[in-house]
Amino acid sequence: MQNIRRVAVIGGNRIPFARSNSRYAGASNADMLGAALDGLVARFGLAGQRVGELVAGAVLKHAKDFNLAREVVLGSKLDPHTPAYDIQQACGTGLEAAILVANKIALGQIDVGVAGGVDTTSDAPLAVNEDMRRTLLKLNSARTLGERLKIAAKLRPHQPFKPEIPRNAEPRTGLSMGEHAARTALRWEIDRQSQDELALRSHQRLAAAYEKGFFDDLVTPYLGLTRDQNLRPDTSLEKLGSLKPVFGNRGPDADRATMTAGNSSPLTDGASTVLLASEEWAREHHLPVLAWFSWSENAAVDFVHGDEGLLMAPAYAVPRMLARAGLTLQDFDYYEIHEAFASQVLATLAAWESKEFCSDRLGLDAPLGAIDRDKLNVNGSSLAAGHPFAATGGRIVATLAKLLAEKGSGRGLISICAAGGQGVTAILER
Ligand SMILES: CC(=O)CC(=O)SCCNC(=O)CCNC(=O)[C@H](O)C(C)(C)COP(=O)(O)OP(=O)(O)OC[C@H]1O[C@@H](n2cnc3c(N)ncnc32)[C@H](O)[C@@H]1OP(=O)(O)O
């Protein structure tokens, strides 16, 4: 048996996140992931080096990007002998990529690897409708002009004008992420004021982190942006309180709708990368270790047949990970809970505080309990920074690792909810 090795987070690099259909509207996934990787390669002197593996992904991908990760390696200064491949785990993609790389390092299969993620809703893949698609495929494989004309004659004029636009919705329910989260917010009675306060804190903390230079070695300017474009340092509880609900605002519970554009993460474009390595590789390359990647756990909920909220899987994954690691929910210095929606973060915390949920759903004798909210998302999170789906995991891993390095020692929890009723969670330590 090989030894299990400690896995070091060496650092990360991302581009500033942009609002959808804005600064990065002309950039592709490959452009943005390439830019994030270029910054990482420059920061850690990786030019010309063969990295064990680069694992990356995007939630929304064009068919031509069948192996986006490898294409990005070929366009980078890394040694082209670096193997690379794509994965997809919805909003958990970036963290899942880091877990995959970390596990290979731990098992001694590679010594160093890069995890990445990218997404753009501005350059989302558009498909023609099903009839049109099949007709075009037949046209493409027709052998003679006669055959082609026969197939083309069947084309109805309205067909090309009905594209299928990817929706931010669950295929099995037809409901958007926001509509699902609105149901969860009602179930856990998450009030508007708490959501707006969480959103305000996210903006204030992200702004403060930029002001004190925290992101100077984590974020590389791109296409004229030096900071996350969604960041609103001047927002206030009054402004947030004046916004109209955008999810859960139809049907019998419309008057109880609480989720707005201010307390929901925005549609965002961006990319992130993280460098992970064995202790020996880090030492040989004279690169300091920010933190150790120690535990991870995934969970899934049955949101289709059961009454579990679509984005509640981290509420199940974290207790399983804590049991495996022999830790309690309070044994952390930092909590990085992805802010898909403010209500989602608050529902997850409420579930851990609930005696009923912890006993009925988790089979625990006592609730996991409350966390110290001052330790939650201390440098802001997705409500302020934005959420380019697959890039969020890398943003969080790099941010938390740097936080732990600055503190000198400690432990941080990462929790990311994902479409499909899944959750990806991990622990970093120093
Ligand atoms: C996918 C997974 O696997 C798991 C997950 O993470 S689930 C989460 C996935 N992500 C999503 O579902 C994205 C959800 N978000 C959205 O769909 C859209 O951003 C949204 C519908 C919420 C809002 O869209 P929009 O209306 O275009 O937003 P936007 O125009 O920016 O804002 C609306 C108004 O609120 C204001 N506003 C927004 N945030 C504000 C803030 N923090 N402070 C003050 N005002 C704010 C804007 O200025 C704007 O005002 P005006 O109309 O006066 O210009």
Side-chain angles (χ1 to χ4, degrees):
M1 289 291 288
Q2 292 148 320
N3 288 332
I4 300 287
R5 304 190 296 179
R6 290 212 289 181
V7 179
V9 181
I10 307 294
N13 183 61
R14 67 177 177 91
I15 55 173
F17 293 166
R19 293 182 64 80
S20 181
N21 292 312
S22 181
R23 286 293 180 95
Y24 302 167
S28 66
N29 275 336
D31 294 335
M32 290 189 288
L33 187 57
L37 180 62
D38 286 349
L40 191 84
V41 167
R43 180 164 299 141
F44 296 105
L46 300 174
Q49 291 204 42
R50 180 171 63 79
V51 166
E53 271 182 15
L54 184 143
V55 184
V59 174
L60 295 172
K61 250 181 32 166
H62 290 275
K64 66 174 192 277
D65 290 335
F66 54 89
N67 192 345
L68 185 61
R70 177 67 182 145
E71 285 309 315
V72 166
V73 164
L74 290 173
S76 77
K77 291 203 169 92
L78 285 178
D79 181 336
H81 295 94
T82 298
Y85 53 91
D86 287 11
I87 62 156
Q88 216 270 37
Q89 162 63 307
C91 297
T93 300
L95 180 56
E96 194 67 58
I99 293 167
L100 211 59
V101 169
N103 289 351
K104 288 205 175 192
I105 293 168
L107 286 175
Q109 295 167 350
I110 58 174
D111 297 316
V112 57
V114 175
V118 58
D119 256 297
T120 162
T121 41
S122 307
D123 185 35
L126 272 191
V128 289
N129 64 67
E130 189 59 14
D131 281 352
M132 183 67 177
R133 193 176 69 82
R134 294 208 172 269
T135 312
L136 289 176
L137 284 171
K138 273 191 211 154
L139 256 181
N140 191 43
S141 60
R143 292 176 183 203
T144 63
L145 180 64
E147 255 181 72
R148 262 184 226 121
L149 288 174
K150 216 164 127 190
I151 296 164
K154 286 187 191 149
L155 279 177
R156 278 169 276 142
H158 70 275
Q159 278 182 330
F161 304 112
K162 281 173 69 187
E164 282 175 9
I165 299 169
R167 282 189 64 227
N168 186 11
E170 274 300 322
R172 285 175 192 279
T173 61
L175 295 177
S176 69
M177 302 291 130
E179 292 298 329
H180 271 286
R183 291 181 173 193
T184 304
L186 281 181
R187 146 81 175 88
W188 287 98
E189 297 177 350
I190 307 299
D191 64 73
R192 168 79 183 262
Q193 174 84 8
S194 315
Q195 294 177 49
D196 288 351
E197 282 169 4
L198 192 90
L200 180 66
R201 257 199 317 274
S202 190
H203 284 275
Q204 289 173 336
R205 288 175 171 183
L206 184 70
Y210 269 110
E211 280 316 308
K212 69 175 189 217
F214 181 85
F215 290 111
D216 286 357
D217 56 357
L218 292 177
V219 178
T220 308
Y222 183 60
L223 298 182
L225 277 189
T226 54
R227 292 183 174 194
D228 305 311
Q229 198 185 9
N230 186 61
L231 174 58
R232 295 171 191 255
D234 58 342
T235 193
S236 64
L237 270 187
E238 293 67 41
K239 281 185 196 159
L240 286 160
S242 69
L243 301 176
K244 289 203 179 71
V246 288
F247 298 117
N249 53 353
R250 287 192 211 111
D253 292 313
D255 59 336
R256 295 168 65 207
T258 52
M259 292 174 53
T260 67
N263 60 38
S264 304
S265 65
L267 294 169
T268 314
D269 304 337
S272 67
T273 49
V274 181
L275 183 66
L276 300 145
S278 68
E279 204 169 352
E280 301 74 39
W281 188 96
R283 202 178 315 113
E284 279 163 20
H285 290 77
H286 310 290
L287 289 171
V289 174
L290 296 185
W292 304 104
F293 202 106
S294 56
W295 296 90
S296 75
E297 186 92 26
N298 289 3
V301 292
D302 183 0
F303 66 98
V304 183
H305 311 100
D307 63 349
E308 295 159 308
L310 173 77
L311 302 175
M312 288 300 280
Y316 294 77
V318 165
R320 292 210 299 245
M321 179 166 64
L322 294 177
R324 221 184 278 285
L327 295 168
T328 72
L329 186 59
Q330 289 69 37
D331 288 338
F332 293 87
D333 301 278
Y334 301 109
Y335 301 84
E336 286 286 338
I337 305 186
H338 157 51
E339 297 168 342
F341 304 97
S343 63
Q344 190 52 45
V345 176
L346 295 168
T348 303
L349 296 178
W352 290 335
E353 288 174 29
S354 156
K355 192 168 182 299
E356 188 197 358
F357 179 87
C358 290
S359 102
D360 298 356
R361 303 296 173 112
L362 305 178
L364 300 175
D365 297 335
L368 267 71
I371 64 161
D372 177 350
R373 299 273 175 107
D374 287 341
K375 299 176 177 176
L376 173 65
N377 299 341
V378 300
N379 283 330
S381 183
S382 308
L383 289 173
H387 172 39
F389 312 128
T392 288
R395 172 185 69 73
I396 293 178
V397 170
T399 300
L400 178 57
K402 181 164 173 193
L403 260 171
L404 290 168
E406 281 191 348
K407 186 170 183 299
S409 67
R411 188 182 290 124
L413 176 77
I414 302 176
S415 163
I416 300 184
C417 57
Q422 304 207 76
V424 187
T425 63
I427 295 174
L428 301 189
E429 297 180 69
R430 182 180 167 105

